[in-house]
Amino acid sequence: MEIRQLRYFKEVAEREHISEAAIHLHVAQSAISRQIANLEAELGIELFERVGRNVKLTPIGKIFLEHCTSALQAIDFAKNQVDEYLNPEKGTIKIGFPTSLAGHLLPTVISAFKKEHPNVAFHLRQGSYDFLIDAVKNRELNLAFLGPLPTKDDSIHTTILFTEDFSILVPSNHPFAKRKSIPLIDLRNEDFVLFPEGYVLHKLAVEACNSVGFTPMISSEGEDMDAIKGLVAAGLGVTLLPESTFYDSTPRYTVKIPIETPSIRRTVGIISPVTRDLSPSEKVFHNFAMQFFSRLGQYQ
């Protein structure tokens, strides 16, 4: 069994068309057909069945694809590690991040890192909270920023970079806009603007309100930070957001107000897999991020 055969098989399986796979791989169609036939002969099974001009995986072919994908990911990862050990300053770092950390944290730390390591490249992947955790577990990513950090998961390492409070964001013409602080219970009759159900910031906001005895009335939802802030600015409700989302500025026509009680906080940090070592460039970045936020914390 050859790596080339596995790559040909995976390409055909994903495209369900041999000629399209051949075009993408820049090889002759006959070469792909021959290598897949050799692979099937070695395994003693049929991996594909023909459906008109297309091909589809057989049931056993689908099982083989799962293992083939994992094997190729492991091989590519190993090759990248070898390349980076030869020159860790020219590696590529793949990092996942959620929308709540995209506006300030990510560009700030990467910009500072690039000043010291200008030849290291970055591949950035934005995703939901659960997606990022699964991506680290399933070899799609080795590093991901996350807030809050998950607890009680033996398959991932967690490194806290900082802890931050939540604040209330209200329209600038809101009756509470001139207050210095607000007990969360005072918002029990307010309309809320939140991320949709399934987003971790939705969960944190609802749990905070429940902790003081009410369920927030959700009038509007937005799927990114700018949408949430824009809906508040338009007067459609109030929201709860972490401090790091206000680092650049508080949006026009809104006012940020500290929460008096209860204390609502989240940890922000990096997750990495327990079962895999980080590449040299990933280790350098991980250590840099820890030192970077440690230095920032000394002046806060």
Side-chain angles (χ1 to χ4, degrees):
M1 191 178 302
E2 302 176 6
I3 295 176
R4 174 180 56 176
Q5 292 174 334
L6 298 180
R7 296 198 188 280
Y8 287 2
F9 162 73
K10 183 173 180 292
E11 193 69 32
V12 173
E14 291 176 348
R15 295 179 180 276
E16 296 186 340
H17 206 285
I18 293 177
S19 61
E20 289 183 8
I23 293 171
H24 182 75
L25 292 169
H26 305 291
V27 297
Q29 181 175 333
S30 58
I32 291 182
S33 297
R34 182 170 61 254
Q35 291 301 327
I36 289 179
N38 292 341
L39 181 61
E40 289 178 323
E42 182 177 346
L43 293 172
I45 57 172
E46 289 189 355
L47 297 170
F48 295 100
E49 57 182 352
R50 291 197 170 274
V51 181
R53 294 184 177 181
N54 291 10
V55 293
K56 287 186 178 291
L57 287 169
T58 61
I60 192 64
K62 293 179 181 179
I63 295 174
F64 186 73
L65 176 62
E66 293 179 10
H67 294 287
C68 173
T69 300
S70 297
L72 289 174
Q73 286 176 342
I75 290 169
D76 290 339
F77 176 75
K79 182 181 182 302
N80 289 337
Q81 279 206 313
V82 170
D83 291 340
E84 289 193 23
Y85 273 109
L86 295 175
N87 191 348
E89 287 295 325
K90 289 190 175 180
T92 297
I93 302 172
K94 294 176 66 176
I95 299 179
F97 64 97
T99 182
S100 66
L101 299 177
H104 178 79
L105 180 143
L106 196 68
T108 299
V109 68
I110 289 180
S111 176
F113 181 81
K114 288 285 284 182
K115 289 179 181 178
E116 296 185 16
H117 307 274
N119 295 320
V120 174
F122 283 88
H123 180 103
L124 305 179
R125 182 77 180 273
Q126 184 170 334
S128 68
Y129 189 81
D130 290 336
F131 166 81
L132 294 173
I133 294 174
D134 290 340
V136 169
K137 291 180 179 179
N138 298 333
R139 291 183 176 270
E140 293 179 49
L141 296 169
N142 267 352
L143 294 174
F145 286 108
L146 218 55
L149 289 172
T151 58
K152 298 180 181 179
D153 194 324
D154 295 334
S155 61
I156 56 176
H157 288 298
T158 59
T159 302
I160 296 175
L161 297 177
F162 61 91
T163 303
E164 63 177 343
D165 293 315
F166 278 66
S167 290
I168 298 165
L169 188 70
V170 303
S172 56
N173 60 356
H174 193 280
F176 294 161
K178 293 184 179 180
R179 286 207 196 177
K180 298 298 182 182
S181 63
I182 302 178
L184 186 59
I185 189 63
D186 285 6
L187 301 180
R188 60 190 178 278
N189 296 320
E190 299 293 323
D191 288 331
F192 276 76
V193 176
L194 297 180
F195 283 88
E197 189 172 353
Y199 283 69
V200 70
L201 289 182
H202 175 103
K203 179 174 179 288
L204 291 174
V206 171
E207 288 178 349
C209 295
N210 289 343
S211 73
V212 295
F214 74 95
T215 298
M217 298 181 293
I218 302 171
S219 62
S220 303
E221 295 180 339
E223 294 189 354
D224 61 59
M225 196 60 63
D226 288 338
I228 295 290
K229 293 176 178 178
L231 290 169
V232 173
L236 298 182
V238 303
T239 195
L240 301 179
L241 293 176
E243 283 294 323
S244 60
T245 63
F246 299 112
Y247 280 163
D248 293 331
S249 65
T250 301
R252 292 181 64 190
Y253 310 118
T254 66
V255 176
K256 182 190 74 168
I257 308 171
I259 299 172
E260 189 173 311
T261 55
S263 175
I264 305 171
R265 312 196 82 195
R266 72 167 181 175
T267 55
V268 176
I270 298 178
I271 63 171
S272 57
V274 168
T275 56
R276 303 187 304 279
D277 290 332
L278 299 179
S279 69
S281 58
E282 288 170 338
K283 288 179 181 177
V284 171
F285 179 78
H286 188 278
N287 292 335
F288 177 89
M290 291 172 60
Q291 295 170 7
F292 180 80
F293 286 100
S294 176
R295 291 193 298 268
L296 285 183
Q298 294 175 11
Y299 301 104
Q300 290 180 348

